Amino acid sequence: IMYSIDEGRTWSEYSGPVGVGSGKTVTLQSVSSNGDLLSRVVIADEECSDCDHDGDFKTDPSTDGMSSNYASELAPYLLVMIEMEKNFDHDADCSMGDWGLCHTQTLSIEYAGEEDYLDDQFKIYFSSIHRVLQVNHPDFEHQHVVGDLTYIQPTSSFGGFQSKTKIELPLVMEYWSVQETDNMPRWFVVDDRDQSTAIIGNTDTEEVHSFVVPYTSTMKTPTDNNVQMTAATRFSLNQKTAKEVDASIRIIPTPYEIVGRDNAQSFDINGISMVNGQLLGNLQIGAADLLLKLGVNDNGDHKVTFMIGSLPSDTDGAESYTMETTVDGTTIMGTDRSGLFHGFMSFIGLLDVSNAAKMTLTEMIIYDKPRFDYRGHQVDVARNFRSKEAIKKTIDAMALWKLNVLHLALTNDEGWRLEIPGLEELTSVGSKRCFDPSEETCLLTQLGSGPYAEEQQYYTRDDYIELLKYAEERNVKILPEFNMPAHARAAVISMEARAKNGDDTYRLTDPEDETFLLTVQFYDRTSIINPCLDSSVRFVEKLVGEVKQMHDDAGIPLESYHFGGDEAKNILLGAGYSSYSDELKEQPFSKSPSCQAKRLNDPSFDIEKIANYWAITVNKILIENGVKEMVAWQDGLRSTTKDQYETESVAVNLWGTLYWGSIVELEDAADEGFEIIMSNPDYLYFDFPYEVNPEERGYYWAARQNSVYKVFSFAPENLAQNAETSVDRDGNEMSVTTPSIPQPRIHGMQGQTWSETIRTDDQYYEMAFPRVLAVAERAWHLANWEMNWSPGVTYNGETDLVPKDELATDYNGFVSALGCREMLKLEYLGIKYRVPPPGASIDASGVLTANSELPCTAIMYSIDEGRTWSL
């Protein structure tokens, strides 16, 4: 931790409480072990007395990248700023918001031109994750386009932009806003005269404060009891949850059993040499590559010998192993090559690679087996694309910490990311976002991507085969997801572009359908594949056949396929939209002639259960292609049972929240016969903030924060237990009772990294890591503080059933190993993980005390506003 008392001009290393004087501004930041990665800078608060509880921005006009056109005559002289006003206690008309919820903002448009701009034939487009309900200014009006894309335009009363003046537009937006990243970048001007486009310069950035005034509050409702993290409140929390302990023999994830040897010796090694490495098969390639990346000599003085054989009965199963480490060498015995690989990853887990020429080991014996068969990590590459290199780095990390399924979400409304031979429009149109109202060359821009298309935002066929092989060499299976029938707009629009060129073989929408539809993310009926068309069936047959061929060419059979299936609905049918006309509350495809005909001819077709119908249809296609398992988001298969599907296995991602009744959904999924993958958003969504602070990135519809501690302390096999160790979205206590049924079998658990607000690879790394390691811990190891499933037992904030001392001890060991040893391995893998901002407090005598949630993290401080820094 570094601190500065001269506004950042000089920095000092923080090594313990230090006198900085009263009344001074002290800035701090955390630094990774090699000094390359920094947290955001925070300001130290005065000592906190109630912590004991669970601008004016200018940018220079720029015309970089703009050709001469009408839009570029205006955009370079505009500066827009968004200022959050109130989430509640305002007098705005919220009647058109879901459940009457809305917040207010002020949009400032500053015109910096030397001469007045009097034309009114322009629109300003922007992405907004909240619907704009009102623009309360006589000179401007708004129009929703599709998805998150909206524009404002002048009204007839607009008199032009006067030279060097500012116009302020009061906005009313749906729901609430507590994170600055709700506001998307790359606003742009479109001129109606030539349809030219130009980005407004101060928004063409990933620095959100360039166009958003810093938020001052994180309260979304009057009953919001979440504690905003400041330096002082963070300091108090770190004191409770982050104690550094000796973690020299702590392995992540924790093995089933570690046995210390009598008179165990500690000794140093300068590297390893593998004996019988051929028993690993092609996993030897991945093992050698990981050693190389971590800087470990593979021709060193410590022999690691691999053997295949039987294990003790309580650890004898797939992926299991034993490992005995002595001064003379290490022996790893496994039931299969996966077990040998996991044993070797545990051996690497003991190594402190900060000095690879002298690494200390202690003699021990490990007996180990996985808790769950399925230990997953999901990456949404559809909303915003992730490079092939980012996926490879992710696979490296998954291998190192024993995760074995990479759920690759390849398609969604905002993008299609895999080349499919014979369906070229999926990538020539569906992988691009730009400003093309016809959508014949690209999808309309979304999520702050701006008006200009980026090239090669997809994986080629060869790329995908390469990734399949790369993952297989590291004991990771890629599970491809092609989301349908909903969240499929990229596919629908791509096939519409194909149809416009005369080929409707794979058309996915009925051109005569006039159904009104508004989806969860504000798309129309083009977001959902029409299940009544023969051409839709042909599309899936073609898709599955081509993906199967890729897997065959890689020598890795397509055994599992993720169908998606979630959110195929018109949200206006929900009870919160009572102010809307009944004419807008239509079931998807209720006015489609094709679906009307199918209702007459097919008694199994239910217009209110199109996701179910389509799931059964797709499942039959999977069987025809030899696929053994279909996976889906739980709501896509709701109201069906395993017996209605033909694949050997059908698994569901359980993604309900605990406080909204996910324990009932768990009961339903078990009763329906599905394999269950715990994917609970209030604990396992990594697109949510790490802490309650408006500068944190992410959505928060299910939880205001998913910290490393919260992920670590999640009990996947006893959901009710989590009501005692965490709070709901509003920071309030929950009460959950375990159902009176036998304990459901859990197939696995998975962290999800959706990417609506994650636009770059570096942002992805920061949001996913180190939370991924906490998932690895829980998916592999059943902790001693996890309570047994006990029907009828109630957990809440007042109960004391969970042994919290044991939880604290376990977490201290985990986080110490994480901060003092494992984070460096992430750096060596090229993963720019999140460095947590420090906690700090200044007492009445002016003494600064600081800490970090990650032990072994340096803290810098400044007392001159960041001009200098000290450690």
Side-chain angles (χ1 to χ4, degrees), residues 74-351:
L74 174 60
Y77 303 101
L78 293 182
L79 181 147
V80 300
M81 289 299 300
I82 303 160
E83 184 169 7
M84 175 62 197
E85 300 291 349
K86 292 183 176 182
N87 281 318
F88 53 91
D89 288 344
H90 52 66
D91 58 1
D93 178 7
C94 300
S95 60
M96 301 308 287
D98 187 14
W99 294 109
L101 296 170
C102 71
H103 66 277
T104 58
Q105 293 183 350
T106 297
L107 170 63
S108 299
I109 305 175
E110 185 172 343
Y111 176 68
E114 296 291 338
E115 299 180 359
D116 295 350
Y117 185 91
L118 303 179
D119 291 315
D120 62 359
Q121 299 181 64
F122 66 89
K123 299 180 177 72
I124 298 176
Y125 282 77
F126 58 97
S127 290
S128 176
I129 68 168
H130 302 296
R131 288 193 302 158
V132 180
L133 302 180
Q134 299 167 41
V135 175
N136 292 322
H137 194 286
D139 294 346
F140 285 89
E141 60 188 4
H142 78 283
Q143 179 64 53
H144 175 245
V145 182
V146 69
D148 70 13
L149 189 62
T150 296
Y151 65 76
I152 57 173
Q153 65 179 358
T155 64
S156 58
S157 65
F158 178 69
F161 288 116
Q162 306 303 307
S163 174
K164 301 186 181 301
T165 58
K166 180 166 64 176
I167 298 175
E168 293 188 345
L169 309 182
L171 306 182
V172 179
M173 316 287 287
E174 193 171 27
Y175 296 116
W176 41 71
S177 182
V178 294
Q179 302 301 137
E180 293 166 355
T181 55
D182 286 356
N183 304 284
M184 298 286 178
R186 296 176 190 88
W187 293 42
F188 59 96
V189 172
V190 175
D191 197 288
D192 293 339
R193 289 168 289 184
D194 60 359
Q195 287 296 292
S196 58
T197 60
I199 297 177
I200 297 174
N202 74 304
T203 70
D204 191 12
T205 178
E206 290 300 320
E207 295 296 328
V208 68
H209 287 162
S210 293
F211 59 96
V212 178
V213 176
Y215 283 22
T216 57
S217 173
T218 58
M219 287 190 67
K220 65 183 186 66
T221 67
T223 58
D224 186 342
N225 286 311
N226 285 291
V227 178
Q228 180 171 335
M229 286 295 102
T230 64
T233 56
R234 190 181 301 113
F235 177 80
S236 176
L237 181 63
N238 290 344
Q239 283 185 314
K240 299 171 187 175
T241 61
K243 179 181 178 182
E244 182 179 345
V245 298
D246 180 10
S248 58
I249 62 170
R250 176 67 181 255
I251 298 172
I252 299 176
T254 301
Y256 178 74
E257 183 180 10
I258 298 179
V259 178
R261 294 168 57 93
D262 292 337
N263 302 314
Q265 300 181 58
S266 293
F267 56 95
D268 295 333
I269 66 172
N270 65 10
I272 68 105
S273 57
M274 288 192 276
V275 179
N276 296 335
Q278 73 278 2
L279 294 178
L280 289 165
N282 65 348
L283 293 176
Q284 188 174 10
I285 299 171
D289 182 58
L290 287 170
L291 286 178
L292 178 65
K293 288 172 178 171
L294 296 176
V296 177
N297 179 9
D298 62 358
N299 191 28
D301 58 3
H302 188 78
K303 290 183 179 181
V304 178
T305 302
F306 298 97
M307 301 176 66
I308 294 287
S310 60
L311 303 177
S313 59
D314 58 345
T315 56
D316 191 17
E319 301 188 85
S320 301
Y321 70 93
T322 62
M323 182 176 78
E324 183 172 9
T325 295
T326 70
V327 172
D328 298 324
T330 293
T331 300
I332 299 173
M333 175 83 76
T335 57
D336 52 27
R337 66 189 189 111
S338 293
L340 294 178
F341 186 80
H342 292 321
F344 193 51
M345 293 305 102
S346 288
F347 177 83
I348 292 176
L350 290 169
L351 302 180

Side-chain angles (χ1 to χ4, degrees), residues 668-683:
D668 291 343
D671 187 58
E672 291 159 352
F674 299 128
E675 298 279 6
I676 299 169
I677 302 167
M678 304 303 287
S679 307
N680 308 63
D682 37 347
Y683 300 91

